[in-house]
Amino acid sequence: MKVLAAGVVPLLLVLHWKHGAGSPLPITPVNATCATRHPCPSNLMNQIRNQLGQLNSSANSLFILYYTAQGEPFPNNLDKLCSPNVTDFPPFHANGTEKARLVELYRIIAYLGASLGNITRDQKVLNPYAHGLHSKLSTTADVLRGLLSNVLCRLCSKYHVSHVDVTYGPDTSGKDVFQKKKLGCQLLGKYKQVIAVLAQAF
Amino acid sequence: MPTLIVCEDANPNSPDCIYTGELIVPCAHIHPESSVVQLGSNFTAVCVLKEKCMDDYHVTANDIFWKTGRVPVPYEQYSVINRTASSVTFPNITLINALLTCNIRMFGQINRSVYGIRIISGLPPEKPKNLSCIVNEGKKMMCQWDPGRETYLETNYTLKSEWATEKFDDCKAKRDTPTSCTVDYPPVYFVNIEVWVEAENALGKVTSDHINFDPVDKVKLNPPHILSVNSSKELSSILKLTWTDSRFKSFITLKYDIQYRTKDASTWNQVPPEDTSSTRSSFTVQDLKPFTEYVFRIRCMKEDGKGYWSDWSEEASGITYEDRPSKAPNFWYKIEPSHAHGTRSIQLKWKTLPPFEANGKILDYEVTLTKWKSHSQNYTVKDTKLTVNLTNDRYVATLTARNLVGKSDASVLTIPAWDFQATHPITDLKAFPKDNVLWVEWTAPNESVNRYILEWCVLSDKSPCIPDWQQEDGTVHRTYLRGNLVESKCYLITVTPVYDDGPGSPKHIKAYLKQAAPSRGPTVRTKKVGKNEAVLEWDHLPIDVQNGFIRNYTIFYRTVIGNEIAVNVDSSHTEYTLSSLTSDTLYMVRMAAYTDEGGKDGPEFTFTTPKFAQGEIEAIVVPVCLAFLLTTLLGVLFCFNKRDLIKKHIWPNVPDPSKSHIAQWSPHTPPRHFNSKDQMYPDGNFTDVSVVEIEANDKKPFPEDLKSLDLFKKEKVNTEGHSSGIGGSSCMSSSRPSISSSDENESAQNTSSTVQYSTVVHSGYRHQVPSVQVFSRSESTQPLLDSEERPEDLQLVDNVDGSDGILPRQRYFKQNCSQHETSPDISHFERSQQVSSVNEEDFVRLKQQQISDHISQPYGSGKMKMFQEVPAVDAFGPGIEGQVERFETVGMEDAVDEGMPKSYLPQTVRRGGYMPQ
């Protein structure tokens, strides 16, 4: 996917997401002018909610599809292998202000997007014939990208936030197959858990 | 733009073009290099010569001329800017795609192209309009637009799209579909995207209006998939529809559109939209008919109405549960012939209920027959007819249909008693086709009608009338026949009103569902053919080939070379008379029968009119025959009257020597001699007779006549003496040649050579008795006939004695003109006529001969005088008879006075005979 950076869009984030690098990159705030390519729609928050609902409606099926596709021992050892124990996962405070929630949401979506990119890359290698999983991963990633655009548009247009520091999950490119599968399963488990919270928060 | 060098007017190898190896060194340049010109604009090009060429070819800008293709541009459009540059201007340029060349004219009138550009005219793109996008679920977004006018140039359309935070790759429309483009990224819902179109060609670039939308509002969902259609035992009027639909329903609200219809219907019923305005996966449709198969289909879209309706789902059907029959069956009966006395065979028949009235599968029918004041008879029938034997009494029959749920209402039918008189028929019964069905219309009678029974059958000569029927309510007066009617068949329709007490009088009518031309035409034949007319006849076409109501016939007839004549004949006729025909002519006739939909010719028939009308031949032949017969008769009569004359000319009488006689050799046998003469000419062929009667009676006061007679006698004596000297004969031998020499010379000679008669009659003159014995002698060498010796001849003579004296005259003729005495029994008058038929010349000659004969006789002189005094006219005139008679009388008296013994003439001549003296 080719995404052209413009204005306040974090260049590094974009580059990192694009290439699926797993290592978190230091985000340096950029005091740039917040501008978008065209005005944000008035129903932006509603769209964000719908996007979260869309992600939430498919998160569980994605998780099931993933561990099923990984084969044993994953389906029968979900608690051990797929527990949502993800380190450095961005926090979210549902009781915060909309701006704070949007900023935290931005970080979470950025984190999930990067991780999902890594998982998609790994699964195309580990399970090249799991087209259903690949498709669902891609669709989820696309929705996350759209959500990220909406959140950014909202932060920029309403709160004039032009830059947000983000963190990313561990890079799995150097890990073995099982670790890749396990990290992926844990990430999707976390994703299912977090997205439900986010859907409720907005 | 690349430089275009052309050498159109010269061989590339000639000095007119400058080649340096593979490259052509341009001698000039044209500005502008861009050759795309907008239609309707002015275009100016400038050609600038290079100094080297100018020096080499000794040319200046004045030597430049322009061409478009091979056509020189008029000099009026040139303008020499300076020594090296010349321009050309094309005002209001039209659609063009041509080569514009700059040419120079060198020394020696050699032309050379030194530079060229291609000029292409066109239009800049219009701003694309009506940009719209659609996102088919599971597919990528596709946008389309209206590109506007034709540009005549290669124009690129690019669909551009972006989010608020990022831009997507351009979507370039394909050359063959410049009005739409499908992006290559998956749609992301709930993120507004801005889309626009850029159109660009050599003359410019233009951008359409931007549209900004959420792709979810442009989505067209996949149609739902109907899982099942279930009925309910509790309610026979509902069906529950369940389906699965888009995954979108997990995050957006959908609405549905449900339609249904019965299986055989063509129009759909709509479930109220407000009942399906939210996301759901099932719906129960109500108010359906029992035991009816319904077909459903469903579609969906976003609940807010943004986006597009999905396609219709595949149809699914279900059958509602059964209910009791909602209507009583149609019920009718037919009386069949029965030989049993006092009973009737009744066939009760009914129609199966249509599904929408049966409300289920009909298990059986229950029939109840009730006679007045008696027990009912019940029947359970699975068929739709029941034949029962009933008495001649009145019956009431009831019928109910039963299905799994219950019974229908009862249908009641009154079967009247056998002596029931049906009355009150309907009126104004009509039948007509309309909308491919056969409608029947009637006027109801004044009485209240329970229902009507319509029966119909196909009329055919080949098959019997098997009626179909239907029932209509008593309020109906117009309906159509609900059977499987076919076109071109004649239907006999019967409408019977049914009252409380039984059926009324039926009414009948014939009708066609659709008429057609007859299958074949009538076969015409002639019934009678006359000279100028012919009676044609034909049979009515069989009902099976009519295919419609025969409206009229047309008779076509013609001769071999003549024009065809058509005559229309009313359909009720089976005969027609063609008049004004030509006699003795071959006619070809055929006949066509016409219905409302056309006609059909029958086979051609030929006939020939006779030359004569009937009776005409008879009318001609009979009169002709009659005329011929009459003419023949007249001719016969004429010939009969003139037979002697005719015979004379055709068959001259040849004296039969065998019949010759010596008149009388003895005075004692005169009667036999004369009687033999009578029999000698039985047929009366007595021609060319001169009658001279000499009055021998001196008692009569005819002194002049006597003188004549004396003279004749004297002449006769002289002649007689002369004749005797020749042949020994007196009369025949001498007078014969002189009389017949003119026309019968040969026969006369033969006769004289074989039979010589000589009769010497010597009589006295005026009562003077000659002193010399009179004799008569024949010189015939033939023997005498036996008749001369036969005694019967004597008897005949005796009988003749009592006659009126004809014979004596005959004797006279015989004695004087024996050759022509062929008709002894002919009357004196006839003989006179025969004489008169001789021409005058002959008569004169005859007189002379007679005169000469008489001169040869003793009394010839007297006769001579007599002949001289008789004018020729008298001999032919009407008075000749009397005169002859007078002469005869005189002669006869004279003979009586002279005395019989002195004469050799036959003694039978007692009156009027010539008596020798």
Side-chain angles (χ1 to χ4, degrees), chain A residues 2-4 6 9 36-41 43 47 50-51 53-54 57 142-143 145-147 149-150 152-153, chain B residues 162-169 185-194 212-214 217 247 250-252:
Chain A
K2 180 181 179 183
V3 179
L4 297 179
V9 177
T36 57
R37 303 183 69 87
H38 57 261
C40 299
N43 63 340
Q47 286 182 323
N50 286 331
Q51 286 173 313
Q54 182 183 5
S57 66
D142 290 338
V143 175
R145 188 161 63 95
L147 178 59
S149 175
N150 279 344
L152 184 58
C153 194
Chain B
E162 63 182 16
W163 283 343
T165 57
E166 58 184 295
K167 187 177 182 302
F168 297 99
D169 291 343
Y185 53 88
V188 178
Y189 301 111
F190 307 117
V191 182
N192 273 35
I193 187 171
E194 189 158 302
N212 190 290
F213 57 91
D214 184 346
D217 293 335
R247 59 183 177 85
S250 60
F251 53 91
I252 61 173

Side-chain angles (χ1 to χ4, degrees), chain B residues 825-842:
Chain B
D825 57 346
I826 196 168
S827 67
H828 192 192
F829 172 74
E830 290 171 337
R831 278 174 278 159
S832 302
Q833 285 180 328
Q834 290 172 352
V835 171
S836 64
S837 65
V838 181
N839 59 48
E840 188 173 357
E841 182 182 355
D842 291 340

